[in-house]
Amino acid sequence: MASTRQETVVVDGLALAQDIRQDLAKAVERHVSTGRRAPCLAVVLVGDDPASASYIKGKRRACARIGMDSIERKLPATATEREVLDVVEELNASEGVDGILVQLPLPDGVRPNTIAEAIGPDKDIDGLTPINAGRLLLGEPGHRACTPLGIMKILEHHEIPIEGAHAVVIGRSAIVGKPISLLLQQANATVTMCHSRTKQLAAVCRNADILVAAVGVPRLVQPDWVKPGAAVIDVGVSIIDGEWVGDVDTEGVRGIARIVTPHRRGVGPMTITMLLCNTLDAYEAHFGA
Ligand code: NAD
């Protein structure tokens, strides 16, 4: 019997991100040309984790490239929770700041949820405050978490049907798994959310028209977990012997999936781009579109 091999599109998340960033740059230019200040993202870095410092650098560079301002508040690893809260409160009150991002992880003794709860919902461009998480749950407008938003843009760009599709999400974090499950459900997918205790995970995944892996287990998703023609979104990032590895055996699913995001130039560039989009949205909510 002749096997039918699916033409698999490997998503170019960087190219899509650059297209969106060009539009953002035009919007920023339009605002600035009217005499307004540029939108501004404030990033808070606590401690000296080199990966966090590099992420912050990437985010600030992305702002600069589209004409957006950014400021950085750096605190030592010994900073107390009160000191971090003071910085967040100062940024909440600042007229010159539209979006606030507190880079995770935070040092021991500084509780991420306490810090997230302190960010003003209008400046919560990561969509992590209970107010914005609640708005998402209720289907009300609000800032949405950046990685899930980026995934929705990728699916839209590749014209993946969502309504009526069976979407399987592996991972239930507050930053990816839960919000992407809700966004897919609101777009009328039938969603199954899986996690570390899910039984028969491979069998559940095999039913997915849209499969999102946000786990952090290298190459968890094997070719025989993927339904022919499925859209496969790989969010996971692990570093093995200095190499970046995703949650999906990308090479293996070629010829099976309709689209697959690579672990580099896939979801990552879209996440940063959605941070810029959310910052512009916060600015326009204040100054007008
Ligand atoms: P997390 O690390 O908080 O949690 C992982 C989730 O995976 C949990 O819900 C857990 O139940 C589930 N899980 C763990 N082992 C499992 C297994 N064997 N089978 C099924 N489920 C299992 O999740 P996170 O913060 O969403 O991060 C997930 C991955 O995505 C990480 O690798 C992270 O680095 C990456 N990430 C990438 C981006 C990006 O922009 N590319 C953004 C955020 C997170």
Side-chain angles (χ1 to χ4, degrees), residues 138-179:
L138 297 172
E140 288 176 3
H143 292 304
R144 308 300 195 218
C146 299
T147 302
L149 258 189
I151 294 171
M152 295 305 284
K153 290 272 182 208
I154 289 171
L155 295 174
E156 186 187 316
H157 179 77
H158 288 278
E159 297 179 348
I160 303 298
I162 300 179
E163 183 165 327
H166 182 201
V168 172
V169 175
I170 323 176
R172 54 179 164 183
S173 69
I175 193 160
V176 188
K178 282 181 190 144

Side-chain angles (χ1 to χ4, degrees), residues 5 34 73 78 86 98 109 114 188 190 206 211 241 281:
R5 205 176 144 80
T34 67
R73 289 279 185 275
T78 52
D86 286 346
D98 303 292
T114 306
N188 295 319
T190 303
R206 266 194 288 278
L211 178 58
D241 298 331
D281 284 349

Side-chain angles (χ1 to χ4, degrees), residues 222-235:
Q222 288 295 304
D224 65 346
W225 292 30
V226 174
K227 180 176 170 179
V232 180
I233 306 291
D234 185 0
V235 181

Side-chain angles (χ1 to χ4, degrees), residues 231-244:
V232 180
I233 306 291
D234 185 0
V235 181
V237 178
S238 306
I239 297 177
I240 308 279
D241 298 331
E243 290 283 314
W244 284 40

Side-chain angles (χ1 to χ4, degrees), residues 18-40:
Q18 279 166 346
D19 281 352
I20 297 171
R21 287 183 204 190
Q22 273 182 12
D23 292 342
L24 293 173
K26 282 184 201 145
V28 171
E29 196 183 355
R30 183 168 49 77
H31 286 298
V32 172
S33 70
T34 67
R36 291 174 180 166
R37 68 164 173 81
C40 178

Side-chain angles (χ1 to χ4, degrees), residues 44-49 73-77 79 84 102-103 105-107 110:
V44 181
L45 178 61
V46 190
D48 38 28
D49 175 37
R73 289 279 185 275
K74 207 168 177 316
L75 289 101
V84 182
V102 180
Q103 185 66 46
L106 291 165
V110 183

Side-chain angles (χ1 to χ4, degrees), residues 77-126:
T78 52
T80 61
E81 191 171 271
R82 184 65 257 166
E83 285 168 331
V84 182
L85 287 171
D86 286 346
V87 169
V88 169
E89 281 160 18
E90 176 216 318
L91 295 170
N92 278 339
S94 169
E95 272 295 313
V97 168
D98 303 292
I100 303 170
L101 179 140
V102 180
Q103 185 66 46
L104 301 176
L106 291 165
D108 290 347
V110 183
R111 291 165 295 176
N113 286 350
T114 306
I115 302 303
E117 282 173 28
I119 298 173
D122 295 346
K123 296 190 180 186
D124 166 34
I125 36 73
D126 245 352

